[in-house]
Amino acid sequence: ARRVAALVPSPSIGICVGGRADALAKRYPHWIPLLKKVRGLGLPLVFTGTAEEGPAVRAVQSAVGGLDLSGQLTQPELVETLRRTSLYLSNDTGPIHLAAALGIPAIALFGPTDPRLWAPRGPNVRVLTAATPAEGLTGISVDQVFTTLVGSVR
């Protein structure tokens, strides 16, 4: 917990841009323009993810700044990192479910999987999907995510 407290600013916005390499359709394609807008809120960005997700994280983080913790956290450290965030923003990944279970305000970007079956649950969770399943994640606009984020951050 001390290591995380020394690394992770609080408040901050936690982000997982990755997802399994065999499920690329579950990765949001508009991370860079979205996070450039989010930076304007003045909260530090903290990227989480596995070592496998590291290249995807670094591609986004190098364009928008923030702290890259991909591949560096144990499970307990991930939990502590999530607790230090004001909001967690992610594709359909394991950490978004963990954030929801912890009661952290969370925005889950879903597609092509069915959020009625797979979305995280909780009073502080907002699930965003495209207007039609065929659009997948490309149909979720930067403005839609940003507006939801501004209304959800604690």
Side-chain angles (χ1 to χ4, degrees):
R2 283 189 208 145
R3 181 172 99 87
V4 170
L7 286 173
V8 179
S10 184
S12 59
I13 295 178
I15 303 153
C16 183
V17 302
R20 293 189 338 252
D22 64 343
L24 295 179
K26 293 169 69 172
R27 289 187 182 178
Y28 186 59
H30 309 301
W31 282 116
I32 293 172
L34 170 64
L35 295 176
K36 284 182 176 181
K37 284 186 82 163
V38 171
R39 290 294 304 210
L41 298 175
L43 292 171
L45 305 179
V46 177
F47 294 89
T48 64
T50 64
E52 177 187 354
E53 294 165 328
V57 171
R58 284 184 288 284
V60 174
Q61 185 265 344
S62 66
V64 300
L67 175 63
D68 173 9
L69 295 176
S70 60
Q72 299 178 45
L73 300 173
T74 64
Q75 286 285 342
E77 288 172 333
L78 175 60
V79 169
E80 187 59 30
T81 297
L82 294 173
R83 285 189 173 131
R84 293 183 63 78
T85 64
S86 301
L87 178 131
Y88 195 69
L89 176 62
S90 177
N91 305 310
D92 176 11
T93 63
I96 194 72
H97 293 271
L98 185 55
L102 292 168
I104 294 155
I107 299 173
L109 307 176
F110 258 73
T113 52
D114 186 345
R116 294 172 298 175
L117 298 174
W118 302 109
R121 309 282 185 245
N124 297 321
V125 177
R126 302 294 169 262
V127 177
L128 300 180
T129 60
T132 66
E135 292 177 291
L137 291 172
T138 61
I140 304 172
S141 74
V142 167
D143 287 339
Q144 180 184 6
V145 180
F146 184 74
T147 299
T148 303
L149 186 145
V150 169
S152 300
V153 72
R154 62 177 176 185

